[in-house]
Amino acid sequence: MSTLSIINANKIQSSLVDSATENPSQIREILAKALEFKGLNLQEVAQLTTTKSPELLKEIFAAANRVKEEIYGRRVVIFAPLYVSNLCSNECLYCAFRVSNRDLKRRVLSLSEIKSEVESLVNQGHKRLLLVSGETYPQDDFQYILDAIKAVYEVANQHGEIRRVNVNLAPLDTDDFKRLKDAAIGTYQLFQETYHRDTYSQVHVSGKKADYDWRLSVFDRAIPSGIDDVGIGALFGLYDWRFEVLALLEHSNYLQNKYGVGPHTISVPRLEPALGSHIASHPLAPVSDIDFCKIVAILRLAIPYTGIIMSTRESLQMRQQTLALGVSQISAGSRTNPGGYSDAGLTDDSQFSLGDHRSLDDVVRDVASLGYIPSFCTACYRLGRTGEDFMGLAKHGNIKQICAPNAIATFAEYLNNTASEATKIVGHKLIQSKLELMSDETRNLSEKLLARLASGQKDVYV
Ligand code: SAM
Ligand code: SF4
């Protein structure tokens, strides 16, 4: 299959050339269209990326904020990454796990070590994990990952259990995707890193990952294998961010047109320093903070129904700022080294440095103080509202009515089970104020869930 049908670089480049300078009246027309919540086309997105004047930027950010609040309301989904192994056979120049990095301490967690990690995450109150690994599995057998996922789901204690495991794993063939589907994963995430073919070749020097097309065609193997919930992303800092944003839109449109459902999430990692990597601390195409904010806001306007994920690569300030621009999911209390939750302090086996080192409890309290409801909800996945079913709900504006009660209930469960006293005070106050602002129907639904929690039930959702 030609991957040209997925990303047509010439088309993207010519849209960028056609929209080389800021045109205020055009930008305002595009913003008016974005506020109809139907997304934007390539040309329109290219024009938005030219914005430089502070006045217009303010308008873009305000529009992105409106789209976000209209579709997602004020909830923010929280998760933690779980690194199970840093063995890797690829040579990605920006990553500490790359095969030639002799300074990295290699570690593959055993199933019992995975369970200890999960125990520690569950004790903190996490309910959603993103399982991450390098691209070499012990005995060259993907079964390791399937066993790891099973091990995660087996952990349960008085603080709860992990209810959804998403994964960020190297591209698989169809047979392994079917096995992954049977392991009950939530979202299958894979970042193209850069959609620009020459840059891709420059930074992916050897190993399976050097094959651009094998990576770009990944969802054409995942989705037909039954994985209808997928996440895309680009690693910002490798090539011109304007090109990558347009390519993400093209990729999303491709999936939407071919499978009737676009990506569930878009991730926007930005290069962070990594052990022994020159590129990681000297990006080929650095992205300034203001451009990074633009990336988030423009994606929110262009692809309104897709979640945007912000990781702890970014600083506290950037994470706060981008919440208002369209981010709907954040990681918290993260470690990027296998075993990092059990052996705090060891970091010479990490993938990259973190910008936000706070604990889950601190992040939750902060998010709540900003007026967002931290959500640990996993209802859609467990009720089979994935893929097209989820998008259908989102597009009819119904996701907010369902998400708000579920977010409130899972947040209340977190407050009851694990939160510090300071977080409990902020959290309960927030829940009360949110209930007062709700429509009768949504408030009723929320209060019923809260009453079920108060009567001792756990894991309640609609
Ligand atoms: N090994 C698999 C792969 O490369 O697809 C999956 C996991 S990989 C550990 C997850 C992601 O980390 C990569 O897709 C890349 O975008 C990101 N990453 C790698 N090095 C990074 C760095 N120095 N800064 C920020 N993100 C980085
Ligand atoms: Fe390996 Fe993924 Fe790191 Fe590349 S980004 S070296 S494939 S872990």
Side-chain angles (χ1 to χ4, degrees):
M1 190 206 58
S2 162
T3 48
L4 207 63
S5 55
I6 307 178
I7 301 296
N8 183 338
N10 289 339
K11 195 167 124 196
I12 294 177
Q13 295 288 20
S14 58
S15 301
L16 290 172
V17 170
D18 291 349
S19 291
T21 50
E22 181 182 277
N23 179 334
S25 62
Q26 228 180 46
I27 288 174
R28 292 198 168 102
E29 267 172 43
I30 295 168
L31 292 183
K33 181 181 167 198
L35 289 173
E36 292 168 16
F37 313 114
K38 294 194 185 112
L40 299 173
N41 65 32
L42 212 57
Q43 214 44 264
E44 292 161 342
V45 170
Q47 177 53 231
L48 289 188
T49 63
T50 62
T51 312
K52 287 206 169 59
S53 68
E55 201 45 50
L56 278 175
L57 273 180
K58 248 199 220 162
E59 290 176 40
I60 290 192
F61 293 165
N65 182 259
R66 257 194 72 193
V67 170
K68 187 204 161 179
E69 301 239 329
E70 190 54 41
I71 293 172
Y72 290 90
R74 288 214 126 207
R75 63 116 171 93
V76 184
V77 169
I78 307 235
F79 71 95
L82 173 65
Y83 280 70
V84 293
S85 159
N86 60 14
L87 288 188
C88 196
S89 47
N90 292 315
E91 184 66 10
C92 309
L93 294 185
Y94 46 80
C95 178
F97 293 177
R98 71 193 180 284
V99 65
S100 73
N101 190 0
R102 307 261 172 265
D103 298 329
L104 184 87
K105 212 175 126 229
R106 302 284 166 177
R107 184 160 182 199
V108 180
L109 297 188
S110 66
L111 295 183
S112 74
E113 285 171 329
I114 290 173
K115 286 189 176 180
S116 306
E117 288 284 276
V118 175
E119 191 91 33
S120 153
L121 289 162
V122 165
N123 292 349
Q124 289 174 38
H126 278 292
K127 299 286 183 284
R128 302 167 68 112
L129 293 190
L130 173 68
L131 189 139
V132 187
S133 169
E135 190 170 357
T136 306
Y137 308 117
Q139 279 91 47
D140 239 356
D141 190 350
F142 184 64
Q143 185 62 39
Y144 168 72
I145 295 293
L146 303 173
D147 294 343
I149 296 169
K150 189 162 168 272
V152 173
Y153 281 129
E154 279 170 3
V155 174
N157 64 26
Q158 77 276 18
H159 293 289
E161 64 287 310
I162 296 301
R163 298 171 184 165
R164 174 176 175 136
V165 181
N166 297 333
V167 299
N168 186 319
L169 298 168
L172 302 170
D173 62 21
T174 309
D175 285 346
D176 280 344
F177 269 128
K178 286 185 182 145
R179 295 165 76 199
L180 189 60
K181 165 77 187 165
D182 292 342
I185 58 151
T187 307
Y188 171 73
Q189 268 188 11
L190 191 79
F191 312 153
Q192 185 61 26
E193 319 297 13
T194 172
Y195 287 92
H196 187 257
R197 200 178 274 274
D198 290 348
T199 307
Y200 188 93
S201 302
Q202 190 187 338
V203 298
H204 299 108
V205 177
S206 63
K208 232 176 162 178
K209 192 162 164 184
D211 185 344
Y212 176 97
D213 295 301
W214 174 250
R215 197 166 181 92
L216 189 57
S217 57
V218 64
F219 302 117
D220 290 313
R221 298 188 297 281
I223 298 174
S225 305
I227 296 177
D228 64 353
D229 205 320
V230 300
I232 63 174
L235 180 55
F236 286 93
L238 295 176
Y239 187 66
D240 181 1
W241 68 266
R242 297 178 66 213
F243 180 92
E244 308 291 11
V245 167
L246 268 64
L248 285 167
L249 173 62
E250 281 284 272
H251 201 174
S252 168
N253 288 342
Y254 168 80
L255 296 174
Q256 174 73 48
N257 294 336
K258 183 153 181 191
Y259 299 106
V261 53
H264 186 76
T265 54
I266 299 182
S267 298
V268 290
R270 189 163 55 153
L271 268 184
E272 287 298 327
L275 184 73
S277 162
H278 181 76
I279 283 188
S281 23
H282 301 83
L284 300 170
V287 176
S288 67
D289 284 354
I290 190 73
D291 284 343
F292 192 62
C293 289
K294 270 196 251 179
I295 290 170
V296 172
I298 293 171
L299 286 171
R300 176 45 66 238
L301 296 170
I303 315 172
Y305 299 101
T306 294
I308 299 181
I309 301 181
M310 184 65 56
S311 75
T312 48
R313 288 174 182 86
E314 295 298 332
S315 67
L316 160 67
Q317 291 75 11
M318 183 52 74
R319 277 152 60 83
Q320 288 181 341
Q321 232 173 322
T322 50
L323 269 181
L325 301 177
V327 165
S328 53
Q329 298 196 16
I330 58 170
S331 50
S334 307
R335 298 281 177 275
T336 64
N337 54 320
Y341 297 107
S342 315
D343 326 329
L346 265 187
T347 48
D348 56 350
D349 45 1
S350 303
Q351 195 195 11
F352 48 79
S353 323
L354 298 177
D356 183 348
H357 300 267
R358 294 168 305 154
S359 67
L360 172 64
D361 189 69
D362 286 346
V363 173
V364 164
R365 189 169 60 255
D366 180 49
V367 165
S369 339
L370 293 171
Y372 296 96
I373 312 165
S375 172
F376 297 86
C377 178
T378 52
C380 281
Y381 156 68
R382 290 157 79 210
L383 292 171
R385 285 190 303 242
T386 59
E388 220 168 328
D389 294 340
F390 175 84
M391 284 298 165
L393 270 178
K395 287 184 181 166
H396 292 104
N398 295 334
I399 206 71
K400 220 169 44 173
Q401 275 88 333
I402 291 174
C403 286
N406 285 337
I408 295 255
T410 54
F411 182 36
E413 193 181 14
Y414 170 81
L415 293 175
N416 296 343
N417 289 350
T418 3
S420 66
E421 283 312 310
T423 303
K424 277 186 184 156
I425 293 169
V426 175
H428 286 303
K429 210 165 126 197
L430 178 77
I431 291 181
Q432 208 43 50
S433 69
K434 293 293 173 196
L435 288 172
E436 280 159 22
L437 291 172
M438 281 175 178
S439 68
D440 287 349
E441 200 187 336
T442 317
R443 180 175 180 150
N444 205 349
L445 212 51
S446 306
E447 285 179 337
K448 275 191 186 146
L449 291 180
L450 291 175
R452 284 171 60 193
L453 284 178
S455 75
Q457 281 187 48
K458 287 186 173 153
D459 196 12
V460 297
Y461 53 86
V462 284

